[in-house]
Amino acid sequence: MALIKCSECRTEVFEKAKSCPKCGNCRNISAIRGVAFWIMREYLQLIE
């Protein structure tokens, strides 16, 4: 499992977490997860 940084408090959080354990932020974690998925999808299309 990868770690991502919470956009509010910059704490490292597991990418599958529903919210940050430190500050409780949840909206931005899902947004970051969506962006990470999009980047990975685009990367995989480029290397095919």
Side-chain angles (χ1 to χ4, degrees):
M1 258 192 233
L3 292 172
I4 58 174
K5 291 199 182 231
C6 171
S7 61
E8 291 293 318
C9 68
R10 309 304 294 163
T11 299
E12 289 189 332
V13 179
F14 285 111
E15 68 178 351
K16 294 192 178 201
K18 294 186 183 217
S19 64
C20 174
K22 183 175 180 182
C23 72
N25 182 34
C26 62
R27 282 188 242 164
N28 292 325
I29 288 176
S30 20
I32 291 169
R33 190 180 311 142
V35 169
F37 175 77
W38 179 83
I39 291 170
M40 182 59 72
R41 187 182 69 205
E42 293 296 313
Y43 173 74
L44 291 174
Q45 288 178 355
L46 287 173
I47 62 172
E48 288 183 341

